[in-house]
Amino acid sequence: MEPLTQVTGLVAPLDRSNVDTDAIIPKQFLKSIERTGFGPNLFDEWRYLDAGEPGQDCTNRPLNPDFVLNQPRYQGARILLARENFGCGSSREHAPWALAGYGFRVLIAPSFADIFYNNCSKNGLLPVVLPADVVQQLFEATWENEGYSLTVDLPAQQVITPDGEQYAFEIDPHRKHMLVEGLDEIGLTLEHADEIKAYEARQRQRTPWLFTDLEPS
Amino acid sequence: MAGKTLYDKLWEAHVVRDNGDGTALLYIDRQLVHEVTSPQAFAGLRLANRPVWRVAANLAVVDHNVPTTDRDKGIADPVSAIQIDTLDQNCRDYGIVQFGLHDRRQGIVHVIGPEQGATQPGMTVVCGDSHTSTHGAFGALAFGIGTSEVEHALATQTVVQARSKRMLIRVDGQVGPGVTAKDIMLAIIGHIGTAGGTGYAIEYGGEAIRALSMAGRMTICNMSIEAGARCGMVAVDDTTIEYFRDRPFSPKGELWDQAVGYWRTLVSDDDAVFDRVVTLNAADIKPQVSWGTSPEMVLPVDASVPNPKDEADETRRAGMERALEYMGLTPGTPIRDIKLDKIFIGSCTNSRIEDLRAAAAVVRGKRVAENIQEAMVVPGSGLVKWQAEQEGLDEVFKAAGFEWRDAGCSMCLGMNPDKLSPGERCASTSNRNFEGRQGQGGRTHLVSPEMAAAAAVAGHFVDIRELEQ
């Protein structure tokens, strides 16, 4: 995973609350067995005027001119500004794959759904929670100023505006460490393989029925 | 010291190590695997040349993509076929038990796990599917995970988790006739909102929850995620324990007695402290119908479509306006006047034998209304289907004009050929009314099986309580 420390980038404002992962990446694209290639189908039903199918070349599809990401001023955005409960619904990790594939590195919202939040940080995508009034100010600044960009400093846990205003955000130390270093979480966990084995040995005594093997019948 | 909640007990019993940074390594007793969220996880294992840590702790099944008709003809969609074949191959390569397309035990992952006794009280259960919360109904800690976590659980038998806050939702008293587990849960979601449970593990309690069968409790816990919570749970009681007697993977002999002794401890202590307590009065809950594009947009069947003008909050008002436009509804329209095009009875929320019996009782001897283009019943598993056929329910449905299908997720998410066309309106027993969920442009109203069945007969929503009088 690519390390994520400081991101400075154009901001795109998605002014809807409760954006669900079905909207972020519709179900037909979940048939892929790859981790990549989802970017062109990000927000497919909002972004295009026709019905999207897996494997289709999206370059000549009719774009919905009303959808925010299709506006020329937001091309190349790396930071997505969103509303409450972003990423609710299905646990599909294809949602962060699609956001990252499109080019986003940071998402800013007043709140995120739990599973989605977890999935983001495992894919080099930083979800930043800021208070609703701050997010509202950032929406207004983005609408009013073409080319509005923000700097997100993960080690310092700060969002910095072009005026130099700083907003601190919280992130748990584990997630921060994983993102900043771009670490492989499985590799880290396997460093504790002995502890996992010791736990299993204890529990085999305590709750042996939980260690009955599932066998084909 | 205050007592422990059920969640605390389950959590503490599974901590392998405290990482000291707000997270812990949590041991996973059972992982359920399906075709959509696992291929990239297996590919990751191969790439890193890592084995599966404890093969026999995993159970795999195909459900999301599978056709619900003409299975002997194979899978028409080549992309779906690749995904299904990939799971077959991965299970063969790693030795994981799988219920394939033609296995009579095949079905929706959250139906077959409990049905086989493969998910049990006291377990930690994960699956790359947000409705894994279903298994919490048995006093288990069960939650949905992403594909990176599926790979992590395959490789290490653990996941890295932060401890959740604890919420108790207590439903006091008894529900009236015609009010089901689905109505209780939709009312809860309407009350706390679709983000109300974010950051929490929810325990459901109170007389109305205790009175539910395991099927009803699964319906409740299933939709915890629609209330924002990764997991929901119900304490173990006699109903729970009886459910597991003689299931194929249930503990046997001495292990059964030992397990039951442990299961009985899986209740919150009387003096346990919750971070938030929400109470509802069961008698106030009416049959529910969702009107919008978020599960929190839900009302009693005797209400009317709301007017965004009455909403003070700007973002919420805009959301309501957008939802009404998408749903093609006018404020002030009585819910009962909403006409329907399709009826879907199925999904991990409501496809168990109890659900099918309840729906069949409503349609018995009646016909699906003229304006309904398609009404389908999709049993949760091959065994549910078999049981229903033993009871003649299939004949009841078919005589009424319903299609009787094979088991799978089907039109809950429309990854297989079962989906809505743009503008079509569906009464659905599933769990999500998101834009496009059941098919691009499709309009979903979430209801109980009884309400869906009654709507099929009338062609529009009806108050099931009036039929029952």
Side-chain angles (χ1 to χ4, degrees), chain A residues 9 17 19 23 44 46 72 91 93 131 143 162 172 177 186-187 189-190 211:
Chain A
S17 50
V19 171
D44 198 274
W46 294 345
S91 61
E93 198 161 317
W143 287 325
D172 72 71
H177 179 63
I186 297 175
T189 295
L190 287 173
F211 291 83

Side-chain angles (χ1 to χ4, degrees), chain A residues 16 20 22 27 30-32 34-35 46 51 89-90 93 114 118-119 174 184 189 195 199-200 214 217, chain B residues 13 17 21 27 40 50 53 56 77 83 146-148 152 199 230 322 413 415 432 435-437 440:
Chain A
R16 290 187 183 214
D20 56 75
D22 275 85
K27 84 283 252 107
L30 273 51
K31 295 178 184 181
S32 166
E34 309 293 331
R35 261 177 198 266
W46 294 345
S90 157
E93 198 161 317
D114 287 342
N118 239 355
N119 287 343
H174 175 80
D184 163 19
T189 295
E195 288 171 77
Y199 172 91
E200 286 180 324
L214 291 185
S217 50
Chain B
R17 77 187 300 272
D21 57 6
Y27 192 78
Q40 297 88 349
R50 286 175 174 139
W53 181 278
D77 176 354
Q83 207 164 47
T147 298
S148 294
H152 193 283
R230 282 184 95 165
R322 198 151 41 218
L413 86 166
M415 274 192 80
R432 287 183 177 139
E435 284 184 24
R437 170 78 178 182
Q440 189 166 15

Side-chain angles (χ1 to χ4, degrees), chain A residues 184-204:
Chain A
D184 163 19
E185 193 169 47
I186 297 175
L188 281 185
T189 295
L190 287 173
E191 289 175 14
H192 307 294
D194 288 349
E195 288 171 77
I196 301 172
K197 285 178 188 154
Y199 172 91
E200 286 180 324
R202 275 197 313 276
Q203 293 304 113
R204 266 181 207 280

Side-chain angles (χ1 to χ4, degrees), chain B residues 267-338:
Chain B
V267 296
S268 288
D269 296 334
D270 290 338
D271 56 344
V273 176
F274 290 85
D275 299 287
R276 186 178 169 197
V277 177
V278 174
T279 56
L280 277 82
N281 188 355
D284 296 340
I285 299 174
K286 298 173 180 177
Q288 305 279 308
V289 180
S290 75
W291 56 267
T293 54
S294 166
E296 70 184 19
M297 294 172 164
V298 65
L299 283 168
V301 63
D302 56 6
S304 296
V305 174
N307 195 329
K309 289 201 176 77
D310 301 333
E311 173 60 55
D313 180 83
E314 206 178 316
T315 307
R316 285 179 67 88
R317 186 166 62 238
M320 287 173 75
E321 283 166 355
R322 198 151 41 218
L324 289 179
E325 193 192 332
Y326 181 85
M327 293 297 289
L329 292 174
T330 313
T333 308
I335 299 272
R336 278 179 289 201
D337 289 353
I338 298 174

Side-chain angles (χ1 to χ4, degrees), chain A:
Chain A
M1 195 168 77
E2 198 185 331
L4 189 149
T5 49
Q6 207 178 64
V7 175
T8 298
L10 188 67
V11 181
L14 184 63
D15 186 20
R16 290 187 183 214
S17 50
N18 297 319
V19 171
D20 56 75
T21 54
D22 275 85
I24 296 173
I25 184 82
K27 84 283 252 107
Q28 62 269 37
F29 306 108
L30 273 51
K31 295 178 184 181
S32 166
I33 59 169
E34 309 293 331
R35 261 177 198 266
T36 54
F38 297 99
N41 298 111
L42 175 70
F43 298 119
D44 198 274
E45 290 185 10
W46 294 345
R47 198 165 145 196
Y48 301 102
L49 293 170
D50 63 348
E53 288 303 325
Q56 179 185 18
D57 178 4
C58 293
T59 46
N60 292 317
R61 291 177 61 194
L63 294 172
N64 173 6
D66 296 333
F67 184 57
V68 64
L69 294 186
N70 290 334
Q71 294 174 23
R73 60 182 287 194
Y74 298 121
Q75 297 314 300
R78 301 186 75 203
I79 298 173
L80 183 69
L81 197 56
R83 296 289 189 185
E84 292 80 7
N85 200 27
F86 188 82
C88 60
S90 157
S91 61
R92 57 188 71 167
E93 198 161 317
H94 313 66
W97 293 337
L99 287 159
Y102 181 86
F104 288 117
R105 294 299 316 268
V106 178
L107 312 173
I108 300 175
S111 60
F112 294 92
D114 287 342
I115 301 177
F116 175 79
Y117 185 86
N118 239 355
N119 287 343
C120 282
S121 55
K122 298 186 194 291
N123 292 283
L125 192 60
L126 172 64
V128 172
V129 178
L130 288 177
D133 58 328
V134 173
V135 171
Q136 179 60 28
Q137 285 172 36
L138 294 177
F139 263 97
E140 283 163 17
T142 308
W143 287 325
E144 283 160 20
N145 305 289
E146 191 160 343
Y148 189 78
S149 72
L150 289 167
T151 295
V152 178
D153 186 333
L154 177 54
Q157 295 181 217
Q158 296 280 351
V159 174
I160 304 153
T161 70
D163 303 335
E165 206 152 347
Q166 302 196 355
Y167 300 105
F169 62 87
E170 294 293 321
I171 183 167
D172 72 71
H174 175 80
R175 207 178 298 276
K176 180 177 172 180
H177 179 63
M178 300 296 302
L179 277 164
V180 170
E181 304 293 336
L183 293 173
D184 163 19
E185 193 169 47
I186 297 175
L188 281 185
T189 295
L190 287 173
E191 289 175 14
H192 307 294
D194 288 349
E195 288 171 77
I196 301 172
K197 285 178 188 154
Y199 172 91
E200 286 180 324
R202 275 197 313 276
Q203 293 304 113
R204 266 181 207 280
Q205 299 297 316
R206 226 176 265 169
T207 51
W209 63 91
L210 291 179
F211 291 83
T212 310
D213 287 352
L214 291 185
E215 279 164 9
S217 50

